[in-house]
Amino acid sequence: MLVERVLVSFFAVKVLLSLSWCTAAQQHGPFVYTRDQLIALKPAGMDTRTANIPEELWRRTHRGCRGGTKQRTGKSRAKRRRLMEKKGYKPRLPTLIMGNVRSLANKMDELTALAMSQKEYRQCSLMCFSETWLHQDIPDDNVSITGFQTVRADRDCTESGKRKGGGLAVLVNNRWCSPGHITVKERICCPDIELLAVGLRPYYLPREFSHVVVVAVYIPPSANPTSACDVIHSTIARLQTQHPTAFIAISGDFNHVTMARTLPNFTQYVDCPTREERTLDLLYANVKDAYSCSPLPPLGGSDHNLVNISSKYVPQVKSQPVTTRTVRRWSEETSEVLQDCFETTDWTALYEPHGEDIDGLTECITDYINFCVDSTVPTRTVKCYPNNKPWVTKDIKALLNKKKRAFRAGDREEVRTTQRELKRTIREAKDGYRRKLEWKLQQNNMREVWSAHSTPPPSSS
């Protein structure tokens, strides 16, 4: 009954308003009713108090699926999926797909489809192919994939003494390394070996490595093993001399040649057959426990399987514990306080009890000086991470913080000035650290030389 009364009242008021509007509009224009006038028009006997609307007639207001648990769960899943997708392009060490393709140009359609549809190809950092069979008449656009930069080294018929075949290609993922940070280090072509060395500075790399050097190799079946090993050894030695902290990987078709004796500090990671029951395509790296491998189907009609090389490297900052040490914070004030402490000391009371005992007197004076230093000079506990560079001093850290403050303040001139000072300070710090190591080597103090290295050489890790 209450609902019926509400509806009757609503329609009655609506009819009166429409009639009043029409009459007033004809005479004087629009007429506006006040709240009291509308209440006065109510039917006789109708209660004007707020009606108690039954619960079943309430309007259930809610935000719907957009604010519900289902939508929040979907958003969180999408966020995790995007983070995992982004993480796939930031491996700790570059992931590779390698193999002998036996002509690359006629397999680009299949390779493009693989890069678009399969995660192993889409997220891999590098693709290293041997026997590409490319020549100068085939442009780079014909052997390029969207999202990858192609670096190739075609066979030189004059240098190799062969008319066709051979050739190397390295495809670099643009989401792993900017095309502007790709540098060709070496190109070698001779009857015994074809070699292409590429230097890369990716967006992410553990601090213990300065950059990545990938060496693609193809050794023909008729090559002289000794000559091929000599070329590889001289090239790697030269690269390690130029870049002592670089991560170096050697990938390619080695056929009957092994590098176990030529490069004893390198580890070979391919343990699956690549052609029938033989393992001809190999990957060497100057880091232990860096990779795991899995076979992939051959590309097109090639008789070599592809190999997926995935990273399992654990950075030193996570594999080694963080050490702490206590350092003293010296300043002019602390030096003056310590000097006042020594000036007010009654030294006679310290050395008289020892008489002519030099050892006892020395120990007493040393203990007292250490006591004064501990009492006056404040200390601070700092963390030493295993991947810290030994030449990074407090002056360099202060300049880095100064540059950051100037950048946030928008002072471009201060940023440029600080950058010049920072560059000079880093150069001086490295030079001073070099002289320190050379002095220790001259003193034949090998323990101090190696203990000073917070980051061991990559080839021995």
Side-chain angles (χ1 to χ4, degrees), residues 131 162 218-224 255-256 275:
E131 280 207 85
K162 299 177 182 179
Y218 173 64
I219 301 177
S222 59
N224 185 345
N255 279 305
H256 57 291
R275 184 183 182 188

Side-chain angles (χ1 to χ4, degrees), residues 93-119:
L93 289 179
T95 56
L96 298 91
I97 289 181
M98 50 169 288
N100 186 323
V101 294
R102 293 179 60 83
S103 181
L104 181 61
N106 60 357
K107 301 177 177 64
M108 289 306 300
D109 292 339
E110 180 181 350
L111 187 60
T112 302
L114 289 171
M116 295 180 61
S117 60
Q118 296 191 12
K119 185 172 67 173

Side-chain angles (χ1 to χ4, degrees), residues 18 22 35 51 63 154 179 221 244 247 250 270 285 309 334 367 423:
S18 61
C22 295
R35 178 177 180 275
R63 296 177 60 193
D154 302 342
F247 171 77
I250 309 172
V270 179
I309 307 293
T334 56
D367 292 342
K423 186 176 181 180

Side-chain angles (χ1 to χ4, degrees), residues 6 8 51 73 107 130 133 152 183 195 230 263 273 298 401 454:
V6 172
V8 170
T73 304
K107 301 177 177 64
S130 58
W133 297 3
R152 49 191 274 193
T183 307
L195 185 145
D230 289 343
L263 300 174
N401 293 330
S454 60

